[in-house]
Amino acid sequence: MPRSEALGRGMRLTGLAADIRSEWRAGNRARLARLVVVALAAVAIATFVGSIMTGAADASLANVWRWLIGEADQALSIRDRIIILDIRLPRAVLGMLVGASLAVSGVVMQGLFRNPLADPGLVGVSSGASLGAVLLIVLGTATFGPLFALFGFYALPVAAFFGGLVTTLLLYRIATRGGQTSIATLLLAGIALGALTGAVTGVLVFMADDKQLRDLTFWGLGSLAGANWTKILASAPIILLSLAVTPFLARGLNAITLGEAAAFHMGIPVQRLKNVAIVSVAAATGASVAVSGGIGFVGIVVPHLLRLVIGPDHRYLLPASALLGGTLLILADMIARTIVSPAELPIGIVTAFIGAPFFLWILLRGRSNMGL
Amino acid sequence: MINVSNLSVRLGGRPVLHGVSLEARPGALTAIVGPNGCGKTTTLKAISGELAPAGGTIRINGRDLRGLKPWELASMRGVLPQSTVISFPFTVREVVRLGLAAGANADAALHDRIAAEALEAVDLGGFAGRFYQELSGGEQQRVQLARVLCQISEPVTDGEPRYLLLDEPVSSLDIRHQLGIMQLARNFCERGGGVVAVMHDLNLTAMFADHMVMMKAGKVRASGAPAEVLTDETMEAVFGCRMRVGVAPPAPVPFVLPQTASL
């Protein structure tokens, strides 16, 4: 890149940072939020490119680029091409998709239940989705033959989606009475449902034969290590569709923070909003769990951090969470694959190490505002 | 005109309202009073469309409530609930502007002006940047009223009157703000809109209401001008409390009536 251009870009970024500082001081969160979304988009792109360029093996992005534009010697670039295009790129894409999906699911769920502690991982939606996936793997083609025939490699995400959907609907029925959600009931019901789905999953694992056990183990590691283009093809349409729906929910989720009755008074079709929100959370969580297993805490840490900076307005919180969620998951994955290199840590362990203490900190800090 | 005729409502299978009929005219402040649990709030919730009636009809400006979509209702009436808890850190400005988003898609400058005027109207002019959760109960109630005023910013639009449905709008306010908010409701009526308010303070009601509906055990017991409704007989029959209307206490006991205020 020519020096002057790099200088120009650097100055633009510094300018953005200065703008953000001045809006922060002026207390204008709407304009601040828009700037933060732009900044997060830039950071997400940089992280994405950075993660493709780093790894255990040495590979040159420049060589791949030259191959792409048809200038490089085919034989010379083949190793770089495989490492970057077939290993690192799908991993970064999957990280971005899953991170965005987990963070946005957290935002939507928290908006729907009007509480910053509601998260698909914490209240058992992820375990419900896991159960769906495990059911499919163990009972497999014998029982679900038609499902495989109908959905092909979408069968696993679809099974996880139904598992997540059933859990979310149950939770909603249990925790919400007359338009008011009891957060204590929600969290406790989540624990109970998580235990129940865990038990059923345990029974299925007990029933599984050797080959199925191998499948289960690989699937359940909670990792982006198995990323490939097939997994992306199976999950991306579902994740992107549920992400694309959420901007239309933003105004309704804002209104529903005042309660379901108040949202109705303000002209929101509340029942339809809830239906769409629940289905999109279940779909996004299901697809993420199907391709990467259980990765916890992204859905609670990312929205909470962003609310501290740009406030709870869902019009900005949703896109900002998608970008920061993707970025953080790629970073966590980079930690997971470098910290014990050449071996790899499951990414779920990394997010738990960062997320669990953070969650405790949220509890200590804001007990009075959580409705606990 | 809001027209409630022969309304009955069941909550959890239990009948709560039995054949309630009332009229709320534009240009008038209609107050619903009565003892705790008599169905005042339930009546207001039915008028807002939040509760589906088991029987009877409710019409707003001649249109049956059952045929109206949530967004159509939102352009005809605003609703102030008794209290609103928010578990996210919204600022006062953000809460008030939620009401705006429900209205027409007007330009940003107009929105800013309406929001600022609504906050001025409830005497919270300097509060826009404060956090809602950090305000007192009375201040939160006034923020919610400002939000409702943003939703229904004009008492009359397209030649049709708009309505404010207020559930105990002054219950947690100090006396100065009680008077201020009641005066605000009166002004809304004088400019052609209609107000239906559930009230507890009978003195304030007598002072500001044009029309009074007194309820007991899910039925309307008396209705009319405050002077007709507030009598020794209705007080005893409805509240079960022998009281004399319009009699000052004996000399050594101090008493303060809102009617004496000059703001």
Side-chain angles (χ1 to χ4, degrees):
Chain A
M1 171 172 4
R3 196 181 161 74
S4 61
E5 194 185 315
L7 213 63
R9 182 166 305 171
M11 275 168 65
R12 271 204 301 282
L13 282 176
T14 334
L16 188 59
D19 283 349
I20 288 175
R21 270 201 304 278
S22 78
E23 295 297 349
W24 171 259
R25 274 198 298 269
N28 187 339
R29 294 204 292 190
R31 225 172 304 159
L32 174 76
R34 281 193 284 271
L35 293 171
V36 166
V37 171
V38 173
L40 284 175
V43 173
I45 293 170
T47 313
F48 186 86
V49 173
S51 84
I52 296 174
M53 295 199 312
T54 53
D58 198 29
S60 151
L61 197 57
N63 273 350
V64 176
W65 177 247
R66 276 200 291 276
W67 171 79
L68 276 177
I69 59 173
E71 281 180 6
D73 183 345
Q74 296 293 326
L76 246 178
S77 60
I78 189 156
R79 183 180 154 277
D80 290 359
R81 224 162 70 209
I82 289 173
I83 290 177
I84 289 181
L85 294 185
D86 291 337
I87 297 176
R88 289 189 198 162
L89 189 59
R91 196 160 173 158
V93 170
L94 202 68
M96 194 54 97
L97 281 173
V98 169
S101 145
L102 292 174
V104 167
S105 298
V107 174
V108 174
M109 191 111 182
Q110 286 144 26
L112 184 66
F113 285 104
R114 291 184 293 286
N115 196 289
L117 298 184
D119 169 68
L122 279 177
V123 298
V125 176
S126 305
S127 3
S130 301
L131 177 58
V134 172
L135 265 174
L136 188 78
I137 293 174
V138 174
L139 301 182
T141 40
T143 321
F144 295 108
L147 194 64
F148 276 113
L150 192 62
F151 294 109
F153 56 65
Y154 290 110
L156 199 62
V158 167
F161 160 68
F162 279 111
L165 185 64
V166 169
T167 333
T168 317
L169 286 175
L170 266 175
L171 270 177
Y172 198 85
R173 289 308 284 269
I174 294 169
T176 302
R177 284 279 154 76
Q180 294 298 317
T181 305
S182 150
I183 190 65
T185 317
L186 176 74
L187 294 174
L188 293 173
I191 293 173
L193 282 176
L196 192 64
T197 48
V200 178
T201 308
V203 171
L204 288 167
V205 170
F206 188 72
M207 284 164 53
D209 61 32
D210 281 355
K211 184 192 167 295
Q212 289 166 344
L213 268 182
R214 241 170 57 96
D215 285 353
L216 280 178
T217 318
F218 272 106
W219 170 79
L221 277 175
S223 162
L224 296 174
N228 57 42
W229 291 108
T230 316
K231 280 191 174 181
I232 290 172
L233 215 57
S235 59
I238 301 176
I239 291 177
L240 290 177
L241 193 68
S242 15
L243 291 184
V245 168
T246 55
F248 299 99
L249 301 177
R251 202 171 78 75
L253 289 175
N254 281 342
I256 219 169
T257 51
L258 305 185
E260 288 182 18
F264 168 74
H265 296 152
M266 288 189 275
I268 305 294
V270 174
Q271 193 54 50
R272 194 169 74 199
L273 173 78
K274 289 194 292 191
N275 292 345
V276 176
I278 286 177
V279 170
S280 67
V281 165
T285 308
S288 308
V289 166
V291 288
S292 63
I295 298 177
F297 296 104
V298 177
I300 199 152
V301 171
V302 169
H304 197 89
L305 274 179
L306 285 169
R307 273 192 212 100
L308 291 177
V309 181
I310 65 174
D313 187 333
H314 289 86
R315 286 174 301 173
Y316 311 115
L317 189 58
L318 284 163
S321 295
L323 292 166
L324 186 61
T327 307
L328 285 186
L329 202 64
I330 290 181
L331 287 175
D333 186 49
M334 283 165 78
I335 295 176
R337 61 193 166 102
T338 50
I339 199 164
V340 289
S341 173
E344 272 192 28
L345 219 53
I347 193 172
I349 295 180
V350 178
T351 58
F353 261 120
I354 302 170
F358 185 86
F359 181 65
L360 291 174
W361 174 72
I362 297 177
L363 283 180
L364 287 174
R365 217 179 131 269
R367 224 176 328 202
S368 56
N369 293 337
M370 303 286 170
L372 284 174
Chain B
M1 167 96 79
I2 293 178
N3 213 311
V4 177
S5 108
N6 205 19
L7 170 73
S8 52
V9 171
R10 305 173 75 87
L11 288 180
R14 202 170 57 87
V16 180
L17 296 181
H18 317 268
V20 169
S21 296
L22 62 90
E23 275 183 359
R25 291 188 310 279
L29 199 162
T30 304
I32 306 178
V33 298
N36 295 144
C38 71
K40 305 183 294 288
T41 296
T42 307
T43 306
L44 201 72
K45 282 184 175 172
I47 296 174
S48 78
E50 190 185 328
L51 283 178
T57 54
I58 302 169
R59 291 174 180 279
I60 297 188
N61 293 342
R63 298 182 66 184
D64 195 314
L65 216 59
R66 278 168 296 198
L68 292 168
K69 302 279 181 227
W71 51 91
E72 292 174 312
L73 276 168
S75 70
M76 302 171 88
R77 56 94 185 101
V79 186
L80 178 74
Q82 276 183 25
S83 72
T84 308
V85 181
I86 306 180
S87 38
F88 292 113
F90 276 106
T91 60
V92 168
R93 180 192 288 115
E94 287 163 346
V95 172
V96 170
R97 290 185 67 108
L98 287 178
L100 273 178
N105 34 6
D107 59 294
L110 182 65
H111 271 183
D112 286 339
R113 209 195 69 218
I114 294 174
E117 282 176 2
L119 279 175
E120 281 302 334
V122 297
D123 195 24
L124 288 175
F127 281 62
R130 298 270 298 272
F131 281 104
Y132 180 83
Q133 292 165 328
E134 291 167 2
L135 301 184
S136 75
E139 287 164 339
Q140 290 187 346
Q141 201 175 18
R142 284 186 281 144
V143 172
Q144 294 297 335
L145 182 60
R147 168 180 66 77
V148 175
L149 290 176
C150 278
Q151 184 184 331
I152 304 292
S153 55
E154 292 298 326
V156 180
T157 37
D158 306 327
E160 291 216 331
R162 304 297 172 209
Y163 300 88
L164 299 178
L165 311 179
L166 313 174
D167 195 353
E168 300 189 16
V170 296
S171 57
S172 43
L173 305 186
D174 59 70
I175 183 67
R176 192 173 83 86
H177 286 111
Q178 289 186 341
L179 289 162
I181 296 305
M182 291 312 290
Q183 189 57 52
L184 185 89
R186 268 236 66 86
N187 291 346
F188 186 85
C189 294
E190 270 150 28
R191 288 161 57 214
V195 174
V196 182
V198 168
M199 295 289 294
H200 269 304
D201 188 317
L202 297 173
N203 286 321
L204 277 175
T205 309
M207 188 176 166
F208 286 100
D210 301 288
H211 186 73
M212 231 174 128
V213 177
M214 202 177 249
M215 294 181 66
K216 188 190 180 188
K219 291 187 176 123
V220 174
R221 283 306 177 90
S223 67
E228 301 161 25
V229 175
L230 272 185
T231 61
D232 297 359
E233 293 75 37
T234 54
M235 285 305 295
E236 183 168 356
V238 170
F239 290 94
C241 191
R242 294 190 63 171
M243 292 179 86
R244 305 285 310 282
V245 174
V247 174
V253 184
F255 66 100
V256 184
L257 288 174
Q259 282 86 344
T260 58
S262 55
L263 289 177

